Amino acid sequence: MKADVASGSVELAPSFEDQVCFPLYSAANAVVRAYRPLLQALDLTYLQYMVLMILWDERQLKVKDICDRMRLDSGTLTPLVKRLEAKGLVTRRRDPEDERARLIAITDAGMALREAAREIPGELACRIGIGKGDVAQLRSLCAALLEALDA
Amino acid sequence: MKADVASGSVELAPSFEDQVCFPLYSAANAVVRAYRPLLQALDLTYLQYMVLMILWDERQLKVKDICDRMRLDSGTLTPLVKRLEAKGLVTRRRDPEDERARLIAITDAGMALREAAREIPGELACRIGIGKGDVAQLRSLCAALLEALDA
DNA sequence: TGAAAATAAATTGTGCACAATATAATCGCG
DNA sequence: CGCGATTATATTGTGCACAATTTATTTTCA
């Protein structure tokens, strides 16, 4: 017998075990941990890898565009992109059409990493250990949650 | 037509839009963002709130026990618990039975926060914006992913 | 028993995440 | 045109996440 004796909508004292969001938090940490050894060979973090992945397709984007796609702010991305620049993987130049903006462009060295990273998605898929259907479902639930929370 | 022309198992060049794990990562960030304004009144972070929630039930635990439940390490928890101690919400004493260990115990002030936090789960549930069934499913998918990745 | 192995915390250093703020350029509109 | 509002990026400060290492204690077992 737990509580909620008669009324039906008592505010239960919050309990850690009942938390729905903490497994989400832990799972996100676990994913980053799982990527780490794979990305170590490329001297990249998970976030840096994500930014490069965007630039492998787009070649060049403003900081703002990257922020929007990744749902991160400039306080996170500015130093991250500077680290990519320090490794010679991207360039950061002002947009001549709008001097406020920065154009982040992938370099040849940055593009070359695409080949070196080709095996990573497959290797991670093996470690994920849940079925493809479950993965798709997880993805769409997260997307729905995101849309609701950021609204 | 994307690629994978004839063979059936070509390694596709990884694309950001296809990433399954990034929505998970973003959703976890969004959850922490959603909690922030609710916890601000209590001067707590999301993680501090989670630690307190464990101690509201258990009264006293070793750092190691908290690490295990939260899947975090002492490098994360030691400073966090020290901040809770600085706020007078927990005490940190050596375990007389094992001088290596620290016993983290909730104080009266820490227990008192339980009442102040009583409304938070309900308020967050409103903001979550996806159905209870979806939330349960998300939770169990994250738990499965966690178990697979940490194995 | 006593030395090697294992364990629990703590420390150090790097990299996110984000609030708050600052700076600078552009836009909108009277 | 000009000036207030908006926008893009950068900076500062706090807190998490974790690898790598250190210190202290306990366990193990030859």
Side-chain angles (χ1 to χ4, degrees), chain A residues 4-96:
Chain A
D4 201 2
V5 187
S7 98
S9 75
V10 177
E11 292 266 9
L12 289 177
S15 147
F16 180 69
E17 294 308 322
D18 300 335
Q19 286 304 303
V20 274
C21 291
F22 199 76
L24 179 73
Y25 186 89
S26 297
N29 284 340
V31 165
V32 174
R33 271 198 301 275
Y35 269 103
R36 201 186 311 271
L38 305 179
L39 290 171
Q40 206 148 24
L42 310 183
D43 187 31
L44 292 176
T45 65
Y46 178 62
L47 252 294
Q48 289 167 13
Y49 172 57
M50 290 296 115
V51 170
L52 286 185
M53 200 169 272
I54 291 172
L55 291 171
W56 287 335
D57 279 346
E58 304 286 347
R59 315 297 295 227
Q60 171 168 304
L61 282 175
K62 295 178 186 179
V63 171
K64 173 102 182 33
D65 300 324
I66 304 178
C67 286
D68 289 347
R69 292 204 199 189
M70 301 184 77
R71 296 167 187 272
L72 295 169
D73 71 1
S74 71
T76 300
L77 275 173
T78 294
L80 190 156
V81 169
K82 282 184 177 179
R83 282 189 282 272
L84 291 177
E85 184 188 35
K87 296 183 207 190
L89 304 176
V90 306
T91 58
R92 297 167 62 242
R93 61 193 183 82
R94 294 207 175 285
D95 183 351

